[in-house]
Amino acid sequence: MKKILLFTAIALLSITAANAQVKLGFGVGYAVPSGDAADFLDGGLSAHFELGYGVTERIDISILYQGDFLVGGDLDGASVGNLALGSYMLNGRYFFTDTKFKPYGSLGLGLATVGSVEVEIANGGGTVEGDSESNFALRPALGFKYGILNMNAAYLSAGKVNDASISDITLNIGLLFTFGDN
């Protein structure tokens, strides 16, 4: 998987001509679990990194990595451990205006790896460890870019693990740099 991402990033950079726009972005945020995951997880941290290409003034495509760490909680007398989500996506973004304040919508498709969940059952009931799985992932987002400031709200659907749907909503702030002219 890492070789494919490296090859894609090199290919993306090699197709940039003299008037191309290369995008580099990163940021952090707050993650709130949703779906079945909300029953046994509390909020956590999110971080993302992207490398992309400005196809036109209003359309970007990028390789996006998002890592989310959700803190465990209590569920019916059991204590649930932490959950880590790592997603690798091909992301497309459309800017609705070409002014300095640029609202946008984006859609990411790719692969999410869901880290293991450990459940400790009260009253000496023992420990049950969950599985780590890789699933198809979907990440729609709405946000805006103002100068290099980039803010968005995104929903990540990371599939199911042990019949529990794993998803979260993230509120992110970061920087999105543009190199080159278009």
Side-chain angles (χ1 to χ4, degrees):
M1 182 68 176
K2 290 180 184 178
K3 289 181 183 180
I4 292 171
L5 287 175
L6 179 62
F7 174 76
T8 305
I10 291 171
L12 195 63
L13 290 174
S14 69
I15 62 173
T16 58
N19 293 332
Q21 289 186 341
V22 174
K23 310 283 182 158
L24 175 67
F26 54 88
V28 295
Y30 182 71
V32 178
S34 64
D36 294 337
D39 293 341
F40 55 88
L41 293 170
D42 294 328
L45 296 176
S46 177
H48 68 276
F49 176 81
E50 68 177 303
L51 179 63
Y53 176 73
V55 177
T56 68
E57 191 67 29
R58 291 190 176 188
I59 299 173
D60 293 349
I61 56 170
S62 62
I63 302 294
L64 172 76
Y65 172 77
Q66 179 175 321
D68 299 340
F69 182 77
L70 300 169
V71 177
D74 294 326
L75 174 69
D76 296 330
S79 175
V80 179
N82 303 326
L83 178 75
L85 298 169
S87 56
Y88 300 92
M89 309 213 160
L90 180 61
N91 191 60
R93 178 175 26 235
Y94 178 77
F95 292 99
F96 300 115
T97 67
D98 58 0
T99 59
K100 189 169 182 166
F101 177 79
K102 297 181 177 185
Y104 64 83
S106 69
L107 179 63
L109 301 172
L111 181 70
T113 301
V114 180
S116 182
V117 174
E118 184 177 302
V119 179
E120 187 175 309
I121 300 169
N123 299 328
T127 301
V128 178
E129 290 188 27
D131 293 331
S132 292
E133 283 190 29
S134 293
N135 299 316
F136 173 77
L138 175 74
R139 182 187 182 266
L142 289 174
F144 70 88
K145 182 178 187 262
Y146 183 77
I148 62 170
L149 177 67
N150 182 29
M151 295 184 71
N152 66 49
Y155 170 77
L156 176 65
S157 174
K160 288 190 170 198
V161 175
N162 293 336
D163 294 327
S165 64
I166 306 296
S167 59
D168 67 12
I169 297 170
T170 57
L171 302 172
N172 305 292
I173 186 168
L175 302 176
L176 181 59
F177 296 97
T178 301
F179 302 98
D181 298 324
N182 198 8

